[in-house]
Amino acid sequence: MATAREIRLKSRPVGLPTADNFEMATVDLPDPGPGEVQVRNLWMTVDPYMRGRMNDVKSYSPPFQLGKALDGGAVGEVTASNDPKFKAGDLVQSGLGWREGFTAPASSLQKLDTRGLPPQAFLGAAGMPGLTAYAGLLRIAALKDGDVVFVSGAAGAVGSMVCQIAKAKGHTVVGSAGGAEKVAFLKEIGVDHVIDYKAEKDLTAALLAAAPDGVDVYFDNVGGPHLEAALNGARLFARFAICGMISIYNATEPQPGPRNLALLIGKNIRMEGFIVSHHFDLMPQYIADLSKWVAEGKVTWKETVFEGLEKAPDAFMGLFKGENLGKMLVKLA
Amino acid sequence: MATAREIRLKSRPVGLPTADNFEMATVDLPDPGPGEVQVRNLWMTVDPYMRGRMNDVKSYSPPFQLGKALDGGAVGEVTASNDPKFKAGDLVQSGLGWREGFTAPASSLQKLDTRGLPPQAFLGAAGMPGLTAYAGLLRIAALKDGDVVFVSGAAGAVGSMVCQIAKAKGHTVVGSAGGAEKVAFLKEIGVDHVIDYKAEKDLTAALLAAAPDGVDVYFDNVGGPHLEAALNGARLFARFAICGMISIYNATEPQPGPRNLALLIGKNIRMEGFIVSHHFDLMPQYIADLSKWVAEGKVTWKETVFEGLEKAPDAFMGLFKGENLGKMLVKLA
C-alpha cells in the first residue's frame, strides 16, 4: 500500500480565494481490488469554473465538500491494475486531480491515445478548453464566412484556442488580454488586432478602433466591461458565445449586468451561454481538425506550469490575477 | 384643399414624456398631384418603441425631428386619388399616423383587405404587435411541444397575443401584468398562472410558485426585475425572446442589466433580441393561423381607445403608466 498527498478544501472562499482556504493531507492508497486501478498523476489542471464549485450552491457542477479533496481533470500513469482493461504504464485521463495518486474503479478512467501530442495537452488545447473554443465558435456562435470575431481573455487556455481556430478558418480576429507579455503572445499567434485592456480607458472605443465596422461574433470569457463593449460594437445579427465571466467569479455581491443590454433588440443579437459537457459529441471532429491545424503550423499553445502538488493552490489563485499565459497546469510527477 | 391637424415633437423628453413635449398644429392638405392620394386617418397606434425615437440617437428607427410631425402606423380612408391603384373610399394602411389626414404618394400606402376584421385590428392583433408575438414565439424562441412559456407585459398588445398563441398551441403559460383588471383579463383569455407583479415582493418566488419545474421560453417585453426572475426560473436550454424593455425606456441614466446574467452559462440559455421588421415574411402564415384561431374562438383581443388626435399624447404617455389593456389606440374619425 502506497500513500499520496491531496489538497482539500479547508474553508469556502469569500471573494478571492486565499491559501487559508486549502490544506494538504496524506492518505493511504489501498492496493487495487477487483476492477480497480492505481494511478500516479503526472499533471492536473486548474480552471476558473472550479471557483464556483467552492461556493455551497448548486450549479452545473456539484459544490466541493469541506474537508474533502478537490477534484478536476488529471493525466496519470497506471502503477498497478486489477482490471483487464488497464496495465501498468498506461497513460490515463481522469477527473481525479488535486492529488498525487489514487486507487479507483477502472470505469472512472479513460485510456489516453496521445497521437504524438504531449500528455498534458489533453488538459488544454486537445482537451476541454480546446473543445470549449471549438464548440463555442462553430456551434454556439455559428461562425460563418466573413465574420469578424472578438475574443476576451484571449491569451487564456480557451481564448488562445478561439483566436487560432478563427484565424485557421480565415477570419479577422480582435483579441483582448492584459499586459505586454500576453499582447506579444497574441501577436505571435496571428491575432489581427490586440487590445491590452489594462492600458485602455474606453474598451468600446478600443474595439471600434480595431473593428470599425463592428463585430459579428463575440466569444466571452470574462463578462463585465468587455461584454458591454461587445454589445456596443456588435453588428446587426451578431452572435455571442457566453463561455465564462471570470470578472465576477469572486464577487461577494451580485454584480450588475451590462447597462446596454437593450441593444440586443435593435441589433437582433443572439447571446447564448454554454458549457462544454453538452458538446462532447464534437470531440472526434475537433481532434481531427486540431491535428491538421497543428501539422500545418496554424495552431500552437502555451502552458504556464507550477511544479508540485503543494503549488496547486497558487496556480489556481493565479488564474484570477491573470498569471497564466495559455493553459495553467500543475506538474505532479 | 383641405386642412388637417397633426401632433409634433416640441421638445425631447427627459425621462417620462410629458404634455409639454408635444404640440398640435394645423396644416394644409394639397390636392393630390399625379400618383398621389389624399387620406383621412381613422385610427392611429401609439407604441412603446416610439419613446426611443424621441431621443436624438441612432437606433433601428430614425429619431423623430423637433418641430416635425411624429409618425407611426395608421389606418385611413382614401378621400381623393390621383393614382389608378386607389379610389375614394378605399381603406388603407400607412406609416403616417399622429395626424388626421395627409396627401402622399400612392407608394406609401397599402390597400387593406380586412377579411371581416375591424380595420383597427391591423394596428394590433392582425398587425405588427400580433406578428411580433408570432415571430418571437415561433422563430426566435423556437417554441416546441411541452415548453412552459413565461410572458411579461402579458396584458399588452404584444403580450396578450403571445399568451393566446401559446395557449392555442397547447402550452402552459405564466403571464405577468400589473393590477386586478389585467389579471382578470389574462384569466379570461386562458392564461394558466397569472402573476400580479405589483402585488409581489419577490418575482422569482412568484414565478417558481407558478412554474415549479421552471420555464423553457421567456417572452420579454419589460426587462428589469422580470428578466432577472426569468433567468432564475429558467430551465436548462431555455430560450428568451427579447422584444422590449419598457422598464428602461424612460431611464435618464444607463440601467444595470440583470445581476444574474452568468446563469446563461450553466443553464445554456439562449437570449435573442429581435425587431419585427426582419420577420415580415411570416405575415401571410400568421394571418392564416390568426384567422383560424379567431374562428375557433381561441384568440381575442382588447383595445384601449382614446378619442381625438388631441388625446394622442395622453394615450402614448399612458403606455408607460400601464393604462392600456391590450392595444392602445387613438380613434381619429
Side-chain angles (χ1 to χ4, degrees), chain A:
Chain A
M1 186 154 78
T3 63
R5 297 184 302 168
E6 63 183 30
I7 303 282
R8 295 173 175 174
L9 185 63
K10 186 176 171 192
S11 56
R12 298 196 183 279
V14 178
L16 270 176
T18 65
D20 291 344
N21 301 129
F22 303 90
E23 64 185 344
M24 183 134 69
T26 300
V27 297
D28 289 331
L29 295 190
D31 293 333
E36 288 190 335
V37 179
Q38 196 175 75
V39 173
R40 185 176 62 131
N41 275 335
L42 302 175
W43 295 89
M44 61 166 271
T45 175
V46 290
D47 297 286
Y49 82 89
M50 294 172 175
R51 176 63 186 83
R53 297 185 63 194
M54 292 178 182
N55 298 332
D56 193 17
V57 291
K58 202 182 135 207
S59 179
Y60 52 94
S61 303
F64 292 125
Q65 297 302 303
L66 284 178
K68 296 279 169 68
L70 300 163
D71 58 59
V75 167
E77 186 181 275
V78 173
T79 47
S81 174
N82 200 345
D83 184 278
K85 290 192 293 299
F86 294 94
K87 63 176 195 300
D90 282 351
L91 283 176
V92 292
Q93 264 191 290
S94 77
L96 293 165
W98 292 90
R99 68 200 75 192
E100 293 175 318
F102 57 87
T103 301
S107 60
S108 61
L109 304 176
Q110 277 189 287
K111 210 175 284 190
L112 189 60
D113 169 10
T114 62
R115 284 156 284 196
L117 297 171
Q120 72 273 23
F122 292 84
L123 300 175
M128 294 232 267
L131 183 64
T132 301
Y134 189 80
L137 263 185
L138 272 56
R139 183 174 278 172
I140 304 297
L143 188 69
K144 61 178 199 317
D145 283 355
D147 281 344
V148 173
V149 178
F150 176 43
V151 189
S152 60
V158 173
S160 60
M161 293 307 292
V162 174
C163 292
Q164 294 179 92
I165 293 170
K167 284 309 302 173
K169 290 178 107 35
H171 295 269
T172 298
V173 176
V174 181
S176 174
E181 193 191 9
K182 292 180 181 174
V183 167
F185 168 56
L186 291 176
K187 289 184 173 164
E188 194 184 308
I189 61 173
V191 171
D192 301 280
H193 305 278
V194 183
I195 294 172
D196 180 352
Y197 74 85
K198 291 184 177 169
E200 295 289 349
K201 263 191 297 226
D202 182 342
L203 266 177
T204 297
L207 177 58
L208 286 173
D213 297 328
V215 301
D216 304 285
V217 164
Y218 172 50
F219 195 107
D220 191 18
N221 288 303
V222 305
H226 278 88
L227 180 53
E228 280 196 358
L231 285 161
N232 287 331
R235 298 177 67 172
L236 199 62
F237 300 115
R239 287 138 281 134
F240 288 15
I242 308 295
C243 174
M245 295 199 175
I246 200 170
S247 69
I248 63 166
Y249 287 175
N250 291 297
T252 51
E253 290 184 22
Q255 297 296 295
R259 293 163 299 180
N260 54 355
L261 192 64
L263 289 174
L264 287 182
I265 301 169
K267 295 187 179 189
N268 294 253
I269 297 169
R270 189 178 83 200
M271 205 164 143
E272 187 166 345
F274 74 108
I275 51 176
V276 68
S277 51
H278 297 291
H279 303 282
F280 285 159
D281 61 296
L282 284 177
M283 190 57 112
Q285 181 190 328
Y286 171 55
I287 294 296
D289 277 344
L290 179 68
S291 310
K292 185 167 66 79
W293 291 327
V294 170
E296 293 169 354
K298 285 183 176 167
V299 171
T300 180
W301 54 84
K302 294 270 186 190
E303 295 166 352
T304 299
V305 178
F306 282 63
E307 301 231 4
L309 182 70
E310 64 280 6
K311 291 288 173 52
D314 288 334
F316 177 68
M317 292 183 283
L319 291 171
F320 303 103
K321 299 173 202 153
E323 289 178 1
N324 58 309
L325 187 59
K327 185 72 193 90
M328 185 74 104
L329 292 167
V330 184
K331 191 173 190 307
L332 298 175

Side-chain angles (χ1 to χ4, degrees), chain B residues 303-319:
Chain B
E303 293 166 354
T304 299
V305 177
F306 282 64
E307 301 231 6
L309 181 71
E310 64 280 7
K311 292 287 173 54
D314 289 334
F316 177 69
M317 292 185 282
L319 291 171

Side-chain angles (χ1 to χ4, degrees), chain B:
Chain B
M1 188 154 78
T3 61
R5 296 183 303 166
E6 64 183 28
I7 303 282
R8 295 174 175 174
L9 185 64
K10 186 177 173 193
S11 57
R12 299 196 182 278
V14 177
L16 270 176
T18 65
D20 290 344
N21 301 128
F22 304 89
E23 63 184 346
M24 183 135 70
T26 299
V27 296
D28 290 330
L29 294 190
D31 294 331
E36 287 189 334
V37 178
Q38 194 175 77
V39 173
R40 182 177 63 132
N41 275 335
L42 303 174
W43 296 88
M44 60 166 271
T45 176
V46 290
D47 298 286
Y49 82 90
M50 293 172 176
R51 176 62 186 83
R53 298 185 62 194
M54 292 177 181
N55 299 330
D56 193 18
V57 292
K58 204 183 134 203
S59 180
Y60 53 94
S61 302
F64 292 126
Q65 297 302 304
L66 283 178
K68 296 280 170 66
L70 298 164
D71 58 60
V75 166
E77 187 180 274
V78 172
T79 47
S81 175
N82 201 344
D83 185 279
K85 290 192 293 300
F86 294 93
K87 63 176 194 300
D90 282 350
L91 284 176
V92 291
Q93 264 189 292
S94 76
L96 292 165
W98 293 91
R99 67 199 76 192
E100 293 177 315
F102 57 88
T103 300
S107 60
S108 61
L109 303 176
Q110 279 189 287
K111 209 175 284 190
L112 190 60
D113 169 10
T114 62
R115 283 156 286 198
L117 297 172
Q120 72 274 22
F122 292 85
L123 300 175
M128 295 232 268
L131 183 64
T132 301
Y134 189 80
L137 263 186
L138 273 56
R139 183 173 278 173
I140 304 297
L143 188 69
K144 60 178 201 313
D145 283 356
D147 281 343
V148 173
V149 178
F150 175 43
V151 189
S152 60
V158 173
S160 61
M161 294 306 292
V162 175
C163 292
Q164 293 180 91
I165 294 170
K167 284 309 302 171
K169 289 178 106 37
H171 294 268
T172 298
V173 175
V174 182
S176 174
E181 192 190 11
K182 292 180 181 177
V183 167
F185 168 56
L186 290 177
K187 289 184 173 164
E188 194 185 307
I189 61 173
V191 171
D192 300 280
H193 305 277
V194 182
I195 295 171
D196 180 352
Y197 74 87
K198 289 185 178 170
E200 296 288 348
K201 262 190 295 226
D202 182 342
L203 265 178
T204 297
L207 177 59
L208 287 173
D213 296 328
V215 301
D216 303 286
V217 163
Y218 172 51
F219 195 106
D220 191 19
N221 288 304
V222 305
H226 278 88
L227 180 53
E228 280 196 358
L231 285 161
N232 287 330
R235 299 177 67 172
L236 199 62
F237 300 115
R239 286 137 281 133
F240 288 15
I242 308 295
C243 174
M245 295 198 175
I246 201 169
S247 69
I248 63 167
Y249 286 176
N250 291 298
T252 50
E253 290 183 24
Q255 298 296 295
R259 293 163 299 179
N260 54 356
L261 191 64
L263 289 174
L264 288 183
I265 301 169
K267 296 187 178 188
N268 295 254
I269 297 169
R270 188 179 82 200
M271 204 164 144
E272 187 166 344
F274 74 108
I275 51 177
V276 68
S277 50
H278 297 292
H279 304 281
F280 285 159
D281 61 296
L282 285 176
M283 191 55 115
Q285 180 190 327
Y286 171 56
I287 295 296
D289 277 343
L290 179 68
S291 310
K292 183 168 67 79
W293 292 327
V294 170
E296 294 169 354
K298 286 183 176 166
V299 171
T300 179
W301 53 85
K302 294 269 186 192
E303 293 166 354
T304 299
V305 177
F306 282 64
E307 301 231 6
L309 181 71
E310 64 280 7
K311 292 287 173 54
D314 289 334
F316 177 69
M317 292 185 282
L319 291 171
F320 303 102
K321 299 174 202 153
E323 290 177 2
N324 58 308
L325 187 59
K327 185 72 194 89
M328 185 74 105
L329 291 167
V330 183
K331 190 171 191 307
L332 298 175

